[in-house]
């Protein structure tokens, strides 16, 4: 089962590589934690499932986009800058309802899915979460 998942992921990643060689990142989530509603109480949850993969690309026009594999919608990214205008090495992206931050020096990233708690509706349809993972260059 694990071999099939790895082979499928490798094929998927290779399908992105020719179009973006050297111009972006493949980021794979390794761990996710969050909160689930149990009755009327929010409790910690360690979330498992297939690894989420994000493709981040710098386009010829200079724009930076991010996309979660398996979904059509693309998000936009911005580079964080120091006060003097030089790049910090971090990218901030919004992909659908998820905030994605990549450190291009450490090649680590994290996502935050903030939906499901702040609105006060307390339903179990959304699970606020934080995920971490690593990126590789395309």
């Amino acid at each position: 089962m694990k071999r099939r998942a790895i082979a499928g992921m490798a094929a998927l990643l290779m399908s992105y590589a020719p179009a973006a060689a050297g111009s972006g990142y493949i980021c794979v989530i390794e761990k996710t934690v969050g909160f689930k509603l149990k009755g009327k109480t929010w409790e910690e949850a360690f979330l498992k499932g297939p690894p989420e993969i994000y493709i981040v690309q710098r386009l010829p026009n200079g724009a930076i986009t991010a996309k979660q594999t398996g979904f059509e919608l693309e998000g936009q990214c911005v580079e964080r800058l120091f006060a003097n205008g030089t790049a910090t090495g971090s990218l901030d992206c919004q992909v659908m309802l998820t905030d994605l931050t990549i450190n291009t020096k450490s090649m680590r990233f994290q996502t935050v899915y903030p939906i499901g708690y702040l609105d006060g509706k307390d339903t179990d349809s959304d699970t606020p979460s934080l995920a971490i993972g690593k990126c590789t260059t395309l």
Side-chain angles (χ1 to χ4, degrees), residues 25-39:
Y25 306 93
I26 297 171
C27 301
V28 180
I29 288 179
E30 296 175 338
K31 302 274 184 190
T32 305
V33 296
F35 296 90
K36 286 190 152 294
L37 188 65
K38 284 195 174 179

Side-chain angles (χ1 to χ4, degrees), residues 6-73:
I6 291 170
M9 191 179 336
L12 176 68
L13 298 178
M14 288 170 50
S15 71
Y16 281 92
S23 63
Y25 306 93
I26 297 171
C27 301
V28 180
I29 288 179
E30 296 175 338
K31 302 274 184 190
T32 305
V33 296
F35 296 90
K36 286 190 152 294
L37 188 65
K38 284 195 174 179
K40 295 183 184 257
T41 305
W42 286 94
E43 295 184 4
E44 298 87 359
F46 292 94
L47 309 173
K48 293 185 179 187
E52 292 179 17
I53 301 169
Y54 292 86
I55 307 297
V56 179
Q57 297 179 326
R58 183 179 301 273
L59 303 178
N61 67 4
I64 304 169
T65 63
K67 183 176 180 179
Q68 184 180 353
T69 58
F71 294 91
E72 293 295 318
L73 295 175

Side-chain angles (χ1 to χ4, degrees), residues 25-29 52-57 64-68 75-80 90-103 108-114 129-135:
Y25 306 93
I26 297 171
C27 301
V28 180
I29 288 179
E52 292 179 17
I53 301 169
Y54 292 86
I55 307 297
V56 179
Q57 297 179 326
I64 304 169
T65 63
K67 183 176 180 179
Q68 184 180 353
Q76 297 298 310
C77 303
V78 295
E79 291 183 88
R80 284 192 199 169
S90 289
L91 300 173
D92 291 322
C93 310
Q94 176 109 35
V95 182
M96 295 181 288
L97 298 173
T98 300
D99 299 321
L100 171 72
T101 302
I102 301 168
N103 183 307
R108 292 181 173 191
F109 82 106
Q110 68 182 25
T111 66
V112 175
Y113 180 76
S129 61
L130 168 72
I132 59 172
K134 295 194 177 145
C135 301

